[in-house]
Every structure is written in structure tokens, then in C-alpha cells.
Amino acid sequence: MNTTGHRAVCLLAGVAAMLCAASVKAEDSPSWQVVGVQGLVQVVIVPKEQARDFSAYQVQLAKLCPPERTCFVNFYENTSAVKAELPLPDAIANQPAARFRRSMKNGAELFQWSCRVAENPNDAQCF
């Protein structure tokens, strides 16, 4: 095998290892509850211990949003443990964690943290 082929195999092995690690992490983690859909937007409850873990969101988005499709997801925490239903109770609605937007029509994709959970709340990317 030439050097380029060896590098490609190593790169693929590295990507596979990362995907396996993310899969194991997701299986070992608390469940993310899909509360329902409002229009095109899926509403999801994030386990408190994963609210600031970007890789955990990536795992969930891979499950919730088929590739090459428009997808909108709003993520919330439920630290009060109230019943999660639509419309969201204020105790949940007041605890946004993140939001994801992918528009195939506009060719755009955006993940934003809530300023409430963002590491740097002054970041222009938080809402």
C-alpha cells in the first residue's frame, strides 16, 4: 500500500473510532426526550448533565435530522422535572439550551447555544 493509501485507511479508522465513542457515549447517557413537533420544529428535552456537551447534541442531531433534509430542533432543559408536553410549561420554556437550523432551500446550517448555558455568554452566536 502506498503512503496516500495508508493515510486514507488511518483517517477512516480514526473517524470510525470517534463515531464508535460517540455511539457508546450516547447509549450510556440519559435519554433525550422528543416532546413533539410544532410546525417544522422538533422540541427536545436535554438531560441536565449533557446540556453543555456539544458532542452529545451532534449524536442526537444525527438521529433526529436525516442528511440533506431541512431540520429545525429546539433543545430545552427540564430541571424542575415537570411533565414535558406541548405547549411547553413555562418551567421548561424558560430553560432553552440550544437550537439547530438546517435549511436546504437556503443552503444554510446553524447551531446556537442559549446564552444561559453558553460558556461565553457574550458570544454573538448565543441567543
Side-chain angles (χ1 to χ4, degrees), residues 24-124:
V24 168
K25 185 176 186 177
E27 291 170 5
D28 293 342
S29 66
S31 92
W32 292 51
Q33 179 187 2
V34 177
V35 177
V37 178
Q38 291 181 311
L40 295 175
V41 180
Q42 296 179 71
V43 177
V44 178
I45 304 299
V46 179
K48 182 180 178 181
E49 54 277 357
Q50 293 181 317
R52 291 175 173 80
D53 182 355
F54 182 70
S55 64
Y57 287 90
Q58 296 295 65
V59 170
Q60 296 306 312
L61 287 168
K63 294 176 183 178
L64 296 168
C65 297
E68 308 301 322
R69 289 240 170 118
T70 294
C71 185
F72 304 129
V73 184
N74 289 347
F75 296 97
Y76 295 87
E77 286 185 274
N78 183 6
T79 59
S80 301
V82 298
K83 182 178 179 187
E85 59 188 357
L86 293 180
L88 287 175
D90 289 343
I92 299 173
N94 292 331
Q95 294 186 315
R99 65 182 173 203
F100 175 77
R101 304 288 184 262
R102 181 194 306 135
S103 170
M104 298 312 293
K105 180 179 178 182
N106 296 323
E109 185 170 298
L110 177 66
F111 180 91
Q112 289 182 300
W113 293 106
S114 163
C115 295
R116 190 181 64 75
V117 297
E119 286 184 27
N120 182 6
N122 296 323
D123 186 350

